Amino acid sequence: MLVLCQMALMAQRNVSFSRSDGYSIVVASDADSTVLAAANELGSVMEDVFGKPYDILPDNRFKRGSFISIGRNRLSDKLCDHYKDSIRDDGFLLFSDKGNMYIIGNEQIALRYGVCHFLENYLGCVYASSNVLYVEKKPNGLTLSDIYDLQNPSFRYREVYQLIPNEDTHYAVWHKLHNRTDFDREWGMFVHTFKELVPVERYFDTHPEWFSEIHGQRVRDGQLCLSNSDVLEVLCANLKTKMDKEPEKTIWSVSQNDNESSCTCPDCKLLDSLYGGPSGTMIWFVNQVAARFPDKTISTLAYQQTRHAPKNIQPAGNVNVMLCSIECQRDRPIADDTSHNSFQSDLRDWTSLTSNIFLWDYVVQFRNYMDPFPNLHVLQPNLRCFRSFGVPMVFEQGSHPNVTENHEWRTFLIAHLLWNVDEDVERLRDRFLKAYYGADRAVFVKTYYDAMSDALLESRQTLSIYGYPIDAQNGYLSPQKIAFYRKLFAQAYATSPYANCSDDDLAAYNDRLRLLELSLDFAVLDLSLYDVGPELSYFYIDSTGNKIAKPEMLSLVDEFYKDCKRLGVKKLDEANYTPRQMVDLIGGFVAKQTGDNKALHKPVTCTTKWSDTYDVGGPQALTDGKAGVLNYYYNWLGFQGNDMDVIVDLEDSQEISEIKADFLFYPLSWIFAPRKVTCYVSDNQKDWRKVAHVDYENEELLTECKIVDFKFSVSAKARYVRLVANSLLTNPDWHRGVGQPCWIFCDEIVVF
C-alpha cells in the first residue's frame, strides 16, 4: 500500500527540479531480477513524486537524453571498474556527471539499497513502517548535479529482529537490513543447539554421563559434559546428518543451551582451570568440531557463563563467536562501564583473539513488551562501541513476531544506525515523526520521548531488559510524569496531523498514536496493581471504610484489551503472556480485595519457617489486603525448601462456605505451586477437622509465569482456618536446578 502525504520532510541535497526533466532509467540488456526490481522501484516512486512516468530502458535501446543508470551496463562500465575497490561489502555509490546519475555497487542487492537511499535522502521519501511509504509530492521535474555519495556500511551483517523488517521484506531492503530469509540461506542451525545435537530425551536415560554434573548429580536441563570424548563423537555424527540434508548451508551453530548449568565434573573443571573458565572449555570443544568440518563455519555462543574470553586458547579460523550483551544495563552506554568485568572488557578480549564476531545485542524489555522502555539514547553509543572494536556483524534482538512499545521508531532508528553509526539521530527522528505521526503532532511525541528520557537520567535508576513498570515509580513512571504524558497525548489527539487531513488518514494517524499510548496504559494498569498511590490504584475507600473498585480503572482495562486486539498486540512478554491473561489477572486481583472477606486483616500464625529473602512482613502479609502479582518481589510470602503451615484466626466462630489461596508458578526462578494444599478448621486450635484438599501436578513449563488459584468449597462453622501447602521441596528431575531447594509463594488467603 502506498500512502501519499504533502509534507516537507527534509532539505534536498544536490538535487533541483525542472518542469521537463526527460530522464530515463537505464539497465543492462541482460539485467537480472534484482536490478529490474531496483529500476521498477525507482520509476514507480519517482512517478508518484513528480507526477509523470519514467521509461525503463535496456542499455542497447537507450539512444540519447538524460539518464539514471542502475548497475553495470555500457554506460557505467568504466565507473564500475574505477570505483569497485572503494565500495566495500554491500555498499554503493551515487555519482552524477553532466546531469546524469549512476548507482553502482559490487553486489546486486546494493543497487536496490542505492535506489532506496536516493529516494529517501534526496527526494524526501520515508518508509516509516510496514508497507507504508510516505512520498513528498513535487510539481517540478528532476535535475541532478554534483553528487558523489559513497555509502559503505558500518557493519557487514545487519539484522533487527523486530516485527516490521521480518514481516515486510520490502522494508528490510529499503533500510538495508538482512532478515530471516537472508539468514536462512546460510545458517543450518541457530543458537542453543546442544539440545538438538545431543537430545536429552534420546540419550539421558542410557548415557547420563554425557550431560552436566551439578552438585554431584547429572541433570537433564543443563549443558553437555564437554570433556567426555563420546559427546564429541555423537554430536559430530548428528551434526553431519543434518549437514548432509542441507549441504548448501555454510554456517552451523554448536552452542550451549539457554541456561548457566555448565558441567562441574572433575574433568570439565580441569579444562576450565586450563582455559580460563567455561568459555575456554567451550572453545576447546568447538575447535574440535570445527576441525571435523573445515569447509563449514561453526558458530558458538559467548553468553552468560561463557561471555568472558578464554585464556591460553583462541577460536579456530572457521569458528564464529556470538558475543551477547544480555547482562548490560540500558540506562547508560556500554562504553561507560570500564570495570574489569564489564562487557566492554569482554569485547576487547574477544576481538583480540578473533575478528569473526557476531555481536548479539538486546533492544527491548523482554519481561514486559509494552512497558515504556527509554533506551533510545544508548543505541548509537553502543553501536559506535561495537564498530570501534571492528565487529563485523550485529544482531539487534527485539520481540519478533510481537509488537513492542514504540517499535516503529526504534526499528527505524536502529536500521539506520546499523548502516551508518554516525547518522544524525535528531534529523532521523524529525523525519520519522513528521511522516509517521504527522507534521503538526510530531512536537508532542518528541516532547514525550525527551521527557521520559530526561526523567530516567535524572533519577539515575538502572534500566533492565527484564524490568517492570514498578522499577520506575520514582522516576520516569512517577504519577506526576504519567500525568504530564497524558496531557501530551491529549494535545496530540486534539491536533490534526497535517493541514487538510482526510477522515480516513486521520483514523490511521490516530491508530498510530493510540498504539504508542497503549504502553502508557500498560504502565498505569501494572503500577496500579502495586497500589502506588491515589492516582495509581484500582480502589478507593468509601464512607463506610470499604474498598471499592474504581469504575474508571475498570474501563481502562477494557479499553486496553480491546485496542490491543484491534492493533495487533498479541503478547505482553517473551513467555507468551497475553492481554487476555492480564485482564483476567486484574479481575482476580480486584475480586480478591473487594468481596466480603472474613480473613481480611485477621491475625496469622505460621508453624513452618518462611523466608526473609523477599521481606513482606511475615505471615500477616497473607491477610493484609494486598494481593500478589506476577512479580515475586512484591506481596508474596515465600518458603524455600519448606512446606507452608499457617493458621488464620477469624477472632470468632463464623459460617464458612469458601476458602481461597493463590500460589505463584514460575519454574525459571525455581518457584512451583504446592503439590497439595489441605484445608482444616477448628474452634480451639487443637481439634482440627479436615474439610478439603486439592492435589496439583506442576507442569514442565520452565518460562511460564502464572498464578495458580486454589479454591475450597466447604460447609463449616469455625474460628480458625488452617492451610497446609506441601511443597515439592526440591526442583524436579526435569529442571536445570534438580535437587536444589525450590520455592512456594502464597498471597492472600480469602475466606467467605
Side-chain angles (χ1 to χ4, degrees), residues 447-497:
T447 303
Y448 171 64
Y449 289 159
D450 289 342
M452 188 171 287
S453 179
D454 290 346
L456 169 68
L457 296 176
E458 289 167 6
S459 69
R460 297 189 177 184
Q461 72 176 87
T462 59
L463 189 66
S464 167
I465 62 173
Y466 289 107
Y468 295 89
I470 192 67
D471 300 335
Q473 65 172 319
N474 297 317
Y476 65 88
L477 290 179
S478 69
Q480 297 78 17
K481 290 296 181 184
I482 289 174
F484 176 66
Y485 305 149
R486 288 294 197 199
K487 289 181 181 178
L488 292 174
F489 277 100
Q491 290 174 296
Y493 282 119
T495 303
S496 178

Side-chain angles (χ1 to χ4, degrees), residues 102-302:
Y102 303 84
I103 302 175
I104 61 177
N106 296 332
E107 299 182 17
Q108 296 296 71
I109 191 62
L111 305 177
R112 292 199 68 185
Y113 294 165
V115 163
C116 296
H117 180 83
F118 173 72
L119 293 172
E120 179 175 0
N121 291 281
Y122 292 86
L123 300 189
C125 304
V126 181
Y127 203 139
S129 187
S130 183
N131 297 314
V132 180
L133 176 63
Y134 295 82
V135 174
E136 179 187 352
K137 292 284 191 178
K138 302 179 186 299
N140 299 323
L142 171 66
T143 301
L144 297 165
S145 60
D146 302 328
I147 296 176
Y148 179 86
D149 190 350
L150 177 63
Q151 291 282 322
N152 283 320
S154 295
F155 304 99
R156 175 168 55 82
Y157 183 86
R158 309 167 298 279
E159 183 174 357
V160 184
Y161 196 63
Q162 284 278 79
L163 175 68
I164 298 173
N166 283 291
E167 295 295 316
D168 179 6
T169 56
H170 190 195
Y171 180 99
V173 170
W174 186 280
H175 296 291
K176 313 175 190 71
L177 291 173
H178 301 89
N179 63 11
R180 291 288 90 186
T181 301
D182 302 312
F183 198 92
D184 290 341
R185 290 192 189 101
E186 290 187 288
W187 286 73
M189 300 181 75
F190 183 61
V191 305
H192 303 315
T193 60
F194 278 179
K195 63 182 182 295
E196 297 178 60
L197 293 169
V198 187
V200 66
E201 61 274 10
R202 179 177 173 185
Y203 295 113
F204 187 85
D205 290 341
T206 54
H207 293 285
E209 72 276 9
W210 291 357
F211 299 88
S212 288
E213 180 181 304
I214 307 294
H215 301 293
Q217 182 174 353
R218 298 289 175 171
V219 301
R220 291 177 176 273
D221 186 24
Q223 305 293 342
L224 299 177
C225 181
L226 300 182
S227 63
N228 190 311
S229 59
D230 290 340
V231 170
L232 177 65
E233 297 303 322
V234 72
L235 183 145
C236 287
N238 290 339
L239 179 58
K240 184 177 186 306
T241 299
K242 291 179 179 293
M243 288 179 174
D244 289 345
K245 292 179 180 178
E246 298 182 286
E248 74 283 2
K249 303 294 179 66
T250 59
I251 307 174
W252 294 81
S253 178
V254 177
S255 54
Q256 69 202 61
N257 296 328
D258 196 2
N259 63 64
E260 298 185 56
S261 302
S262 294
C263 187
T264 59
C265 77
D267 289 340
C268 284
K269 289 176 72 173
L270 176 61
L271 288 170
D272 288 352
S273 69
L274 293 174
Y275 298 119
S279 60
T281 301
M282 181 68 71
I283 293 300
W284 173 83
F285 181 84
V286 170
N287 279 352
Q288 295 177 77
V289 177
R292 304 278 185 99
F293 305 100
D295 60 333
K296 304 291 185 182
T297 294
I298 304 300
S299 179
T300 196
L301 285 166

